[in-house]
């Protein structure tokens, strides 16, 4: 079965004898298509005996990923300098550091945007700095190769109903990566909580030195925390689940690779999760990561309590309502018609809110 073979190959990608698994499997078009749908296609392609045309396509995609990382840093570097001069606290999260740690070669993972976390009160100052350096808030049309600026109403929608700003885009002049996308985030959680002190959170940074660029990123324990929180949000928010990037194997590959190859202190990680009161969300993601990779060794290492079976089968964030999946985890993971899958759970009121949200976001 294609899904089972994909899981077998993905697990092999992170085993100790990784290099011996290269080119072991014959080329399989349907499996490769499924792997790309789950955003692990380049990783899986390295396990296949690809023909010349597919090898070339994979090489171009990998170079494009690397080019995107580089362009993001080329254009963010002068912004970072000004943020430092203005005493604006920030960190870059996920992205190239998470990718390079999880996969060793960051070209395996596509990252469309640069995620920057700042304090909400610094937004106006950072927005002005970004505008000065050629960034605009809008959406890119690859057909016309133009950026359509967001309306003020769309900008306010993001600020009022999400924990981030409307995306900032900048044209690069490169045919391979015509625009870079930067997201300003004000939180790593989906609602404000007394447990979170964003200024304190931002202080847990380290310097990322990437190809000559030096910027701030999270320390490993906080990076893993954010990766898990982000994955939980994308796999549980009724508004995000309709989007193409939700519920993909990439989340579990990112997290599993990061766990195996980072320098996370589990005692510290446990303490951080307890301090921020996110144990059940973290263990939800780690539970399913263990299921995907058939490796539960890290579940006990965390020292955190496993949530109830009811919680593991639930979706919907606290302010959205609670729903119980009728489908098994792998059924919903590999379901390619998620609209139909989700529609049967929601009433017309929820569907209308989702439609309105899509409209305001410019999707």
């Amino acid at each position: 079965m294609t899904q089972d073979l994909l899981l077998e190959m993905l697990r092999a990608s992170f085993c100790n004898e990784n290099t011996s698994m290269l080119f072991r499997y014959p080329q399989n078009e349907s499996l490769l298509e499924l792997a790309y749908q789950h955003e692990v296609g380049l990783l899986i392609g390295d396990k296949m005996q690809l023909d010349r045309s597919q090898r070339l396509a994979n090489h171009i995609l990998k170079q494009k990923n690397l080019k995107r990382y580089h362009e993001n840093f080329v254009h963010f570097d002068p912004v970072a300098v000004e943020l430092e001069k203005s005493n604006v606290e920030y960190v870059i999260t996920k992205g190239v550091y998470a990718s390079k740690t999880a996969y060793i070669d960051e070209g395996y993972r596509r990252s469309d945007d640069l995620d920057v976390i700042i304090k909400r009160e610094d937004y106006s100052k950072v927005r002005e700095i970004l505008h000065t350096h050629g960034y605009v808030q809008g959406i890119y049309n690859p057909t016309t190769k133009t950026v359509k600026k967001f309306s003020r109403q769309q900008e306010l929608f993001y600020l009022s109903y999400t924990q981030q700003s409307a995306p900032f885009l900048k044209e690069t002049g490169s045919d391979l990566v015509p625009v870079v996308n930067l997201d300003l985030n004000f939180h790593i959680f989906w609602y404000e909580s007394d447990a979170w002190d964003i200024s304190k959170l931002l202080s847990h940074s380290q310097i990322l030195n990437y190809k000559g660029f030096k910027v701030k990123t999270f320390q490993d324990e906080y990076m893993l925390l954010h990766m898990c929180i982000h994955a939980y949000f994308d796999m549980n928010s009724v508004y995000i689940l309709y989007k193409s990037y939700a519920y993909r194997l990439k989340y579990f590959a990112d997290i599993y690779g990061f766990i195996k190859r980072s320098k996370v202190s589990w005692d510290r990680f446990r303490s951080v999760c307890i301090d921020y009161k996110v144990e059940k969300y973290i263990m939800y993601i780690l539970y399913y990561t263990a299921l995907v990779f058939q490796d539960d060794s890290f579940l006990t290492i965390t020292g955190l309590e496993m949530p109830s079976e009811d919680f593991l089968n639930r979706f919907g964030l606290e302010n959205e309502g609670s729903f119980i999946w009728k489908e098994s985890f792998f059924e919903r993971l590999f379901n390619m018609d998620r609209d139909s899958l989700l529609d049967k759970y929601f009433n017309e009121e929820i569907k209308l809110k989702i439609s309105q949200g899509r409209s305001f976001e410019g999707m």
Side-chain angles (χ1 to χ4, degrees):
M1 190 175 180
T2 304
Q3 297 167 6
D4 293 335
L5 183 55
L6 173 58
L7 290 170
E8 176 188 319
M9 294 171 72
L10 187 62
R11 291 161 188 156
S13 298
F14 293 96
C15 70
N16 292 330
E17 50 186 5
N18 185 32
T19 53
S20 69
M21 306 299 292
L22 291 173
F23 319 123
R24 171 179 170 181
Y25 299 87
Q27 184 165 330
N28 181 322
E29 299 299 337
S30 60
L31 189 149
L32 200 56
E33 181 182 358
L34 183 62
Y36 273 109
Q37 287 170 351
H38 281 269
E39 300 184 48
V40 292
L42 291 176
L43 200 62
I44 296 303
D46 264 4
K47 306 292 171 289
M48 288 185 182
Q49 301 162 10
L50 300 179
D51 59 34
R52 184 176 181 277
S53 141
Q54 188 61 59
R55 281 201 312 273
L56 179 60
N58 280 22
H59 176 74
I60 292 172
L61 286 173
K62 194 172 182 181
Q63 292 307 306
K64 188 173 183 178
N65 289 343
L66 291 169
K67 177 69 171 175
R68 189 179 289 109
Y69 283 126
H70 184 260
E71 287 289 341
N72 267 321
F73 279 87
V74 165
H75 295 283
F76 181 72
D77 188 56
V79 174
V81 171
E82 285 206 42
L83 294 180
E84 293 286 351
K85 287 180 180 178
S86 303
N87 295 315
V88 173
E89 297 175 285
Y90 81 93
V91 294
I92 288 177
T93 184
K94 303 192 299 325
V96 70
Y97 181 72
S99 300
K100 198 165 183 61
T101 304
Y103 302 102
I104 301 176
D105 183 342
E106 70 275 22
Y108 280 123
R109 185 185 184 278
R110 173 174 175 161
S111 180
D112 288 324
D113 48 36
L114 191 70
D115 284 306
V116 182
I117 300 178
I118 62 169
K119 292 183 292 185
R120 189 180 282 269
E121 55 263 37
D122 287 331
Y123 171 65
S124 295
K125 186 186 296 183
V126 177
R127 182 174 182 265
E128 184 179 340
I129 291 172
L130 287 169
H131 284 172
T132 300
H133 288 277
Y135 288 85
V136 297
Q137 289 175 284
I139 187 167
Y140 180 69
N141 186 326
T143 303
T144 61
K145 297 183 178 180
T146 57
V147 174
K148 179 183 177 182
K149 291 184 179 181
F150 281 142
S151 66
R152 184 58 180 159
Q153 187 181 24
Q154 286 173 307
E155 292 180 30
L156 291 173
F157 170 81
Y158 275 90
L159 294 175
S160 301
Y161 296 103
T162 75
Q163 295 288 359
Q164 65 183 67
S165 70
F168 287 84
L169 275 63
K170 183 179 179 182
E171 297 183 71
T172 66
S174 164
D175 290 335
L176 195 59
V177 182
V179 296
V180 289
N181 187 323
L182 184 149
D183 286 337
L184 289 180
N185 300 271
F186 312 123
H187 217 301
I188 69 169
F189 206 51
W190 50 88
Y191 65 81
E192 300 291 345
S193 167
D194 292 339
W196 296 90
D197 179 338
I198 300 305
S199 184
K200 183 178 179 182
L201 183 73
L202 293 172
S203 71
H204 296 289
S205 65
Q206 59 181 326
I207 297 298
L208 166 63
N209 191 336
Y210 182 69
K211 297 184 177 180
F213 300 105
K214 291 185 178 181
V215 295
K216 291 179 180 177
T217 192
F218 272 136
Q219 294 168 0
D220 285 11
E221 295 80 15
Y222 289 84
M223 183 67 77
L224 179 58
L225 175 80
H226 191 200
M227 291 169 72
C228 291
I229 289 294
H230 178 75
Y232 183 88
F233 178 80
D234 280 3
M235 291 174 57
N236 283 273
S237 171
V238 300
Y239 299 98
I240 300 298
L241 279 169
Y242 276 95
K243 298 185 178 182
S244 61
Y245 58 78
Y247 245 99
R248 291 289 186 258
L249 278 170
K250 69 165 185 177
Y251 293 106
F252 307 107
D254 288 354
I255 289 167
Y256 188 69
F258 194 83
I259 286 172
K260 288 183 71 72
R261 292 165 176 163
S262 69
K263 298 177 180 178
V264 170
S265 161
W266 290 105
D267 286 341
R268 190 180 185 211
F269 182 72
R270 182 187 316 116
S271 176
V272 169
C273 291
I274 293 171
D275 286 347
Y276 288 116
K277 301 180 175 25
V278 293
E279 305 99 297
K280 63 182 179 181
Y281 308 112
I282 301 300
M283 292 307 291
Y284 174 101
I285 291 298
L286 295 186
Y287 171 81
Y288 285 118
T289 302
L291 194 62
V292 166
F293 285 95
Q294 294 186 336
D295 178 6
D296 60 3
S297 60
F298 53 87
L299 296 181
T300 52
I301 293 175
T302 64
L304 298 172
E305 184 179 349
M306 186 64 65
S308 67
E309 186 175 349
D310 176 72
F311 185 81
L312 290 171
N313 289 316
R314 195 179 78 182
F315 71 100
L317 304 181
E318 282 79 352
N319 58 345
E320 299 175 345
S322 181
F323 307 87
I324 300 296
W325 287 113
K326 297 182 177 68
E327 296 76 17
S328 72
F329 170 70
F330 286 111
E331 285 175 334
R332 56 193 191 253
L333 178 65
F334 288 112
N335 188 301
M336 291 295 111
D337 184 12
R338 197 174 300 112
D339 280 20
S340 298
L341 176 70
L342 291 168
D343 280 350
K344 64 186 179 185
Y345 286 97
F346 304 140
N347 59 31
E348 292 305 314
E349 182 183 357
I350 294 176
K351 291 177 186 177
L352 178 60
K353 288 181 179 178
I354 291 169
S355 176
Q356 290 172 336
R358 281 174 161 176
S359 174
F360 276 115
E361 287 178 332
M363 303 302 284

